[in-house]
Amino acid sequence: MKLLKSKQTLSHESMPLIGIPKPLDQLSESEIERKACIGKVMTYTLRNLTSQFVDSGFQWLLPVALSQSTDPLWPDPGASIEKRIEVDIYGKTVRTTASMIIHKLIASSLAYPKLFILSPNIRIEKAERAKTGKHIYEFTQLDFEARGASSKDVMSLVEEVICSLLTSLKRDMKDELTSLCRCDTLALPKRPFKVYDRHDLEAKYGADWEEGIAQETSDPVWVTNIPREFYDFEDFKTGKWDNYDLFLPQYGEVLSGAKREWEYEKILKKIERDNVDKNNYALVLKLAKQGKLKPTAGGGIGMERLVGWISGVKHIAETQPFPRVPGTVHEL
Ligand code: ASN
């Protein structure tokens, strides 16, 4: 099936107007064709990834939007949150989901050993991030967690899942990838992916190592040992963090994940050290104290960044039917 009447492609070179993604009603005919093409890549990717997780024994959970407990996103050097949304319902304060990390830890420990969720996350990024091309204030992650898994297990699962997706896409979505000018440039990465320690990257690139590695690499690469929120495992003796981010060329961090903390004393200590309000994490603390929180590991794949990279977009909001560009609110 031919996607376009002419041999015209939908690259940025032929469409210089694409800067900050516009809402559907403001797109030209050719921009709508490009949007629909990216939409097909998104649909294919969602079907492929969810099937792979289901076929590997993961249970598919539905997301929640409001909870007392959500990701503190602190202290995370990469976070730039302008506003946290809290609202009172039934006499209680709830927050919009920043990530379902706390839900994952508890669900994986108690009832669903291997789980994943297509989880909408709201993070009101500072408006100055509008033009980075990789930030949006609502995004969806394929968030997964596995009881008893190690970092190595998760890293090889992710490599398998991504390489298998790319192989299938290159076989089944040739027309779409050609239209997006990605048919020849989207290479299958070699496995295992390279692994860098954040410490070494900091020595090479300084504080902005995330940008440094995203610009330098031409393949997806892992970065480990990143100081972050209390739920990622930290070895108090060595000071090393047992976590891993996957970085894509240009689009940056597409996955963050870790082996998790499960011991009460450590979690409490880290929450207090980070100045995070422990009242919002009472349940996870209680379960940890009772020994019901289990060692798990997992991660979350940012769907818009992944599909943005596959499609070669300038701004990942191009992958969204209703763009969520920081600083801009449209009617839809
Ligand atoms: N999904 C991430 C994880 O599993 C957490 C996050 O999005 N902040 O570690």
mmCIF file of all heavy atoms in Angstrom, residues 4 19 26-27 29 43 63 71 115 123 131 161 164 185 205 220-221 223 228 238 251 282 287 330:
data_model
loop_
_atom_site.group_PDB
_atom_site.id
_atom_site.type_symbol
_atom_site.label_atom_id
_atom_site.label_comp_id
_atom_site.label_asym_id
_atom_site.label_seq_id
_atom_site.Cartn_x
_atom_site.Cartn_y
_atom_site.Cartn_z
ATOM 1 N N LEU A 4 1.665 7.681 0.190
ATOM 2 C CA LEU A 4 1.548 9.014 -0.388
ATOM 3 C C LEU A 4 1.295 8.886 -1.870
ATOM 4 O O LEU A 4 1.800 7.978 -2.508
ATOM 5 C CB LEU A 4 2.865 9.775 -0.185
ATOM 6 C CG LEU A 4 3.274 9.966 1.265
ATOM 7 C CD1 LEU A 4 4.695 10.478 1.336
ATOM 8 C CD2 LEU A 4 2.331 10.936 1.934
ATOM 9 N N GLY A 19 8.116 22.988 13.750
ATOM 10 C CA GLY A 19 8.973 23.427 14.831
ATOM 11 C C GLY A 19 8.321 22.901 16.080
ATOM 12 O O GLY A 19 8.390 21.719 16.381
ATOM 13 N N GLN A 26 -4.669 22.688 13.266
ATOM 14 C CA GLN A 26 -3.825 23.704 12.601
ATOM 15 C C GLN A 26 -2.827 23.096 11.620
ATOM 16 O O GLN A 26 -1.974 23.792 11.085
ATOM 17 C CB GLN A 26 -3.061 24.511 13.668
ATOM 18 C CG GLN A 26 -3.974 25.404 14.488
ATOM 19 C CD GLN A 26 -3.229 26.090 15.627
ATOM 20 O OE1 GLN A 26 -2.013 26.294 15.576
ATOM 21 N NE2 GLN A 26 -3.958 26.442 16.677
ATOM 22 N N LEU A 27 -2.941 21.780 11.389
ATOM 23 C CA LEU A 27 -1.955 21.124 10.518
ATOM 24 C C LEU A 27 -2.368 21.227 9.052
ATOM 25 O O LEU A 27 -3.561 21.155 8.727
ATOM 26 C CB LEU A 27 -1.824 19.636 10.900
ATOM 27 C CG LEU A 27 -1.336 19.317 12.314
ATOM 28 C CD1 LEU A 27 -1.259 17.800 12.519
ATOM 29 C CD2 LEU A 27 0.021 19.950 12.583
ATOM 30 N N GLU A 29 -2.296 19.712 5.066
ATOM 31 C CA GLU A 29 -2.597 18.353 4.598
ATOM 32 C C GLU A 29 -1.378 17.432 4.709
ATOM 33 O O GLU A 29 -1.482 16.298 5.163
ATOM 34 C CB GLU A 29 -3.040 18.438 3.144
ATOM 35 C CG GLU A 29 -4.186 17.485 2.841
ATOM 36 C CD GLU A 29 -4.737 17.757 1.455
ATOM 37 O OE1 GLU A 29 -5.505 18.727 1.308
ATOM 38 O OE2 GLU A 29 -4.344 17.023 0.543
ATOM 39 N N THR A 43 1.106 2.937 16.915
ATOM 40 C CA THR A 43 0.193 1.800 17.088
ATOM 41 C C THR A 43 0.956 0.485 17.004
ATOM 42 O O THR A 43 0.780 -0.414 17.837
ATOM 43 C CB THR A 43 -0.906 1.843 16.000
ATOM 44 O OG1 THR A 43 -1.613 3.071 16.147
ATOM 45 C CG2 THR A 43 -1.878 0.674 16.127
ATOM 46 N N PRO A 63 -3.938 1.775 34.573
ATOM 47 C CA PRO A 63 -3.311 2.848 35.356
ATOM 48 C C PRO A 63 -4.279 3.554 36.306
ATOM 49 O O PRO A 63 -5.492 3.422 36.167
ATOM 50 C CB PRO A 63 -2.857 3.825 34.270
ATOM 51 C CG PRO A 63 -3.841 3.646 33.161
ATOM 52 C CD PRO A 63 -4.256 2.203 33.190
ATOM 53 N N ASP A 71 5.169 9.373 42.690
ATOM 54 C CA ASP A 71 6.619 9.532 42.625
ATOM 55 C C ASP A 71 7.023 10.918 43.146
ATOM 56 O O ASP A 71 6.526 11.929 42.643
ATOM 57 C CB ASP A 71 7.027 9.374 41.151
ATOM 58 C CG ASP A 71 8.509 9.138 40.959
ATOM 59 O OD1 ASP A 71 9.293 9.685 41.748
ATOM 60 O OD2 ASP A 71 8.867 8.423 40.023
ATOM 61 N N LEU A 115 4.614 -7.349 36.235
ATOM 62 C CA LEU A 115 3.507 -6.499 35.803
ATOM 63 C C LEU A 115 3.998 -5.388 34.894
ATOM 64 O O LEU A 115 5.173 -5.016 34.918
ATOM 65 C CB LEU A 115 2.816 -5.878 37.029
ATOM 66 C CG LEU A 115 3.639 -4.872 37.847
ATOM 67 C CD1 LEU A 115 3.509 -3.449 37.325
ATOM 68 C CD2 LEU A 115 3.209 -4.903 39.301
ATOM 69 N N ARG A 123 3.812 15.640 34.441
ATOM 70 C CA ARG A 123 4.952 16.351 35.039
ATOM 71 C C ARG A 123 4.987 17.735 34.403
ATOM 72 O O ARG A 123 5.368 17.869 33.236
ATOM 73 C CB ARG A 123 6.264 15.606 34.762
ATOM 74 C CG ARG A 123 6.246 14.183 35.334
ATOM 75 C CD ARG A 123 7.555 13.463 35.159
ATOM 76 N NE ARG A 123 7.441 12.067 35.570
ATOM 77 C CZ ARG A 123 8.394 11.159 35.439
ATOM 78 N NH1 ARG A 123 9.552 11.493 34.901
ATOM 79 N NH2 ARG A 123 8.211 9.917 35.841
ATOM 80 N N LYS A 131 11.448 23.909 23.867
ATOM 81 C CA LYS A 131 12.185 23.697 22.619
ATOM 82 C C LYS A 131 13.288 22.654 22.715
ATOM 83 O O LYS A 131 14.072 22.503 21.785
ATOM 84 C CB LYS A 131 12.747 25.031 22.126
ATOM 85 C CG LYS A 131 11.640 25.934 21.609
ATOM 86 C CD LYS A 131 12.170 27.108 20.841
ATOM 87 C CE LYS A 131 10.998 27.867 20.245
ATOM 88 N NZ LYS A 131 11.378 29.214 19.829
ATOM 89 N N VAL A 161 13.649 -6.746 23.985
ATOM 90 C CA VAL A 161 12.371 -6.169 23.584
ATOM 91 C C VAL A 161 12.577 -5.088 22.509
ATOM 92 O O VAL A 161 11.858 -5.034 21.507
ATOM 93 C CB VAL A 161 11.683 -5.602 24.862
ATOM 94 C CG1 VAL A 161 10.669 -4.549 24.543
ATOM 95 C CG2 VAL A 161 11.050 -6.727 25.673
ATOM 96 N N SER A 164 13.916 -6.622 19.180
ATOM 97 C CA SER A 164 12.854 -7.372 18.517
ATOM 98 C C SER A 164 11.826 -6.411 17.885
ATOM 99 O O SER A 164 11.372 -6.620 16.757
ATOM 100 C CB SER A 164 12.218 -8.305 19.551
ATOM 101 O OG SER A 164 11.024 -8.793 19.106
ATOM 102 N N THR A 185 18.230 4.845 7.995
ATOM 103 C CA THR A 185 19.043 5.355 9.107
ATOM 104 C C THR A 185 18.743 4.650 10.434
ATOM 105 O O THR A 185 19.530 4.755 11.369
ATOM 106 C CB THR A 185 18.816 6.866 9.295
ATOM 107 O OG1 THR A 185 17.416 7.091 9.425
ATOM 108 C CG2 THR A 185 19.360 7.664 8.133
ATOM 109 N N TYR A 205 32.036 14.853 30.627
ATOM 110 C CA TYR A 205 31.159 15.917 30.102
ATOM 111 C C TYR A 205 30.768 16.977 31.133
ATOM 112 O O TYR A 205 30.096 17.946 30.794
ATOM 113 C CB TYR A 205 29.852 15.326 29.559
ATOM 114 C CG TYR A 205 30.025 14.344 28.432
ATOM 115 C CD1 TYR A 205 29.836 12.975 28.655
ATOM 116 C CD2 TYR A 205 30.346 14.774 27.149
ATOM 117 C CE1 TYR A 205 29.972 12.061 27.620
ATOM 118 C CE2 TYR A 205 30.486 13.859 26.116
ATOM 119 C CZ TYR A 205 30.294 12.508 26.357
ATOM 120 O OH TYR A 205 30.432 11.612 25.339
ATOM 121 N N PRO A 220 21.637 3.154 21.208
ATOM 122 C CA PRO A 220 21.170 3.246 22.604
ATOM 123 C C PRO A 220 22.262 2.748 23.548
ATOM 124 O O PRO A 220 22.919 1.753 23.255
ATOM 125 C CB PRO A 220 19.964 2.290 22.640
ATOM 126 C CG PRO A 220 19.569 2.072 21.219
ATOM 127 C CD PRO A 220 20.814 2.249 20.396
ATOM 128 N N VAL A 221 22.446 3.457 24.667
ATOM 129 C CA VAL A 221 23.465 3.038 25.650
ATOM 130 C C VAL A 221 22.900 3.132 27.062
ATOM 131 O O VAL A 221 22.016 3.953 27.337
ATOM 132 C CB VAL A 221 24.743 3.917 25.591
ATOM 133 C CG1 VAL A 221 25.499 3.711 24.300
ATOM 134 C CG2 VAL A 221 24.432 5.388 25.801
ATOM 135 N N VAL A 223 23.344 3.927 31.119
ATOM 136 C CA VAL A 223 24.131 4.643 32.123
ATOM 137 C C VAL A 223 23.673 4.127 33.490
ATOM 138 O O VAL A 223 22.472 4.080 33.772
ATOM 139 C CB VAL A 223 23.922 6.170 32.035
ATOM 140 C CG1 VAL A 223 24.776 6.875 33.088
ATOM 141 C CG2 VAL A 223 24.285 6.685 30.644
ATOM 142 N N ARG A 228 19.548 9.051 42.859
ATOM 143 C CA ARG A 228 18.159 9.404 42.548
ATOM 144 C C ARG A 228 17.213 9.172 43.730
ATOM 145 O O ARG A 228 17.638 9.144 44.867
ATOM 146 C CB ARG A 228 17.699 8.632 41.311
ATOM 147 C CG ARG A 228 16.898 9.527 40.409
ATOM 148 C CD ARG A 228 16.664 9.036 39.016
ATOM 149 N NE ARG A 228 16.794 7.630 38.838
ATOM 150 C CZ ARG A 228 17.148 7.080 37.678
ATOM 151 N NH1 ARG A 228 17.416 7.835 36.647
ATOM 152 N NH2 ARG A 228 17.225 5.782 37.561
ATOM 153 N N THR A 238 29.433 1.194 49.401
ATOM 154 C CA THR A 238 30.242 1.700 48.276
ATOM 155 C C THR A 238 29.734 3.051 47.774
ATOM 156 O O THR A 238 30.423 3.734 47.014
ATOM 157 C CB THR A 238 30.188 0.718 47.094
ATOM 158 O OG1 THR A 238 28.818 0.619 46.672
ATOM 159 C CG2 THR A 238 30.709 -0.652 47.473
ATOM 160 N N TYR A 251 17.666 11.898 21.561
ATOM 161 C CA TYR A 251 16.410 12.021 22.333
ATOM 162 C C TYR A 251 16.608 11.821 23.829
ATOM 163 O O TYR A 251 15.683 12.011 24.599
ATOM 164 C CB TYR A 251 15.345 11.077 21.777
ATOM 165 C CG TYR A 251 15.034 11.408 20.336
ATOM 166 C CD1 TYR A 251 15.779 10.852 19.301
ATOM 167 C CD2 TYR A 251 14.046 12.322 20.017
ATOM 168 C CE1 TYR A 251 15.534 11.193 17.979
ATOM 169 C CE2 TYR A 251 13.787 12.674 18.703
ATOM 170 C CZ TYR A 251 14.542 12.104 17.685
ATOM 171 O OH TYR A 251 14.294 12.455 16.388
ATOM 172 N N ALA A 282 3.400 6.286 53.668
ATOM 173 C CA ALA A 282 3.141 5.502 54.882
ATOM 174 C C ALA A 282 2.920 4.023 54.554
ATOM 175 O O ALA A 282 3.399 3.142 55.269
ATOM 176 C CB ALA A 282 1.921 6.080 55.611
ATOM 177 N N LEU A 287 4.506 -1.650 54.826
ATOM 178 C CA LEU A 287 4.725 -2.975 54.225
ATOM 179 C C LEU A 287 6.188 -3.389 54.350
ATOM 180 O O LEU A 287 6.494 -4.556 54.605
ATOM 181 C CB LEU A 287 4.294 -2.963 52.748
ATOM 182 C CG LEU A 287 2.778 -2.829 52.530
ATOM 183 C CD1 LEU A 287 2.464 -2.565 51.064
ATOM 184 C CD2 LEU A 287 2.039 -4.073 53.012
ATOM 185 N N HIS A 330 -3.511 23.979 24.745
ATOM 186 C CA HIS A 330 -4.530 24.120 23.703
ATOM 187 C C HIS A 330 -5.872 23.646 24.270
ATOM 188 O O HIS A 330 -5.928 23.046 25.343
ATOM 189 C CB HIS A 330 -4.154 23.279 22.480
ATOM 190 C CG HIS A 330 -2.893 23.737 21.804
ATOM 191 N ND1 HIS A 330 -2.808 24.937 21.140
ATOM 192 C CD2 HIS A 330 -1.666 23.155 21.716
ATOM 193 C CE1 HIS A 330 -1.585 25.071 20.655
ATOM 194 N NE2 HIS A 330 -0.869 24.021 20.997
#
